[in-house]
Amino acid sequence: MTENSKGDTATDLQEDDAVAALAALAHKDRLAAFRLILTAMPEGLPSGQIAKDLSIAPTRMSFHLATLERAGLLTAQREGRVVRYAIAPHTMRGLLRFLTQDCCNGDPTLCLDFNPFPCR
């Protein structure tokens, strides 16, 4: 694990873990769910709300959310009968680090404007 400027730790993903994370995201419903949950960081969203917001049957959404959780991209917290899913920021940052670690051929000045977490 490595620490970033915000004091968070990021998982240094190995190739197999990166492939698993990318495979989990390589479905339109899972990608839509991941992007929706990103908007609710750090609290996350209940699975029923995710299904409703994306107009996906709850049982099908549960399958997709479990796939993202197994890939380490989401965490699940049971709150009574409700399961709340949140982004696992350390894995997300680790995946971005894995994808960009060789960026700019070792010259960081070429990537000065690259920010994987822009604020709007």
Side-chain angles (χ1 to χ4, degrees), residues 30 43 53 71 80 100 105 116:
R30 289 192 291 267
E43 296 85 17
D53 289 354
T100 60
N105 198 26

Side-chain angles (χ1 to χ4, degrees), residues 29-38 50 54 61 65 68:
D29 292 341
R30 289 192 291 267
L31 182 60
F34 185 82
R35 294 186 71 202
L36 176 63
I37 298 166
L38 271 173
I50 298 165
L54 297 176
M61 191 76 263
L65 293 169
L68 292 166

Side-chain angles (χ1 to χ4, degrees), residues 26-93:
H27 185 281
K28 70 177 187 169
D29 292 341
R30 289 192 291 267
L31 182 60
F34 185 82
R35 294 186 71 202
L36 176 63
I37 298 166
L38 271 173
T39 68
M41 277 184 77
E43 296 85 17
L45 295 169
S47 58
Q49 181 180 344
I50 298 165
K52 181 181 175 190
D53 289 354
L54 297 176
S55 300
I56 297 172
T59 53
R60 194 170 107 206
M61 191 76 263
S62 292
F63 168 79
H64 289 312
L65 293 169
T67 299
L68 292 166
E69 182 186 10
R70 279 191 305 276
L73 293 165
L74 298 181
T75 61
Q77 176 86 27
R78 183 164 288 284
E79 300 170 351
R81 294 178 51 189
V82 174
V83 178
R84 178 177 295 275
Y85 287 91
I87 297 297
H90 56 282
T91 304
M92 184 181 69
R93 287 185 183 99

Side-chain angles (χ1 to χ4, degrees), residues 3 6 15 18 33 45 47 51 82 87 97 104:
E3 192 168 320
K6 294 184 185 263
E15 187 173 303
L45 295 169
S47 58
V82 174
I87 297 297
R97 180 178 289 116
C104 303

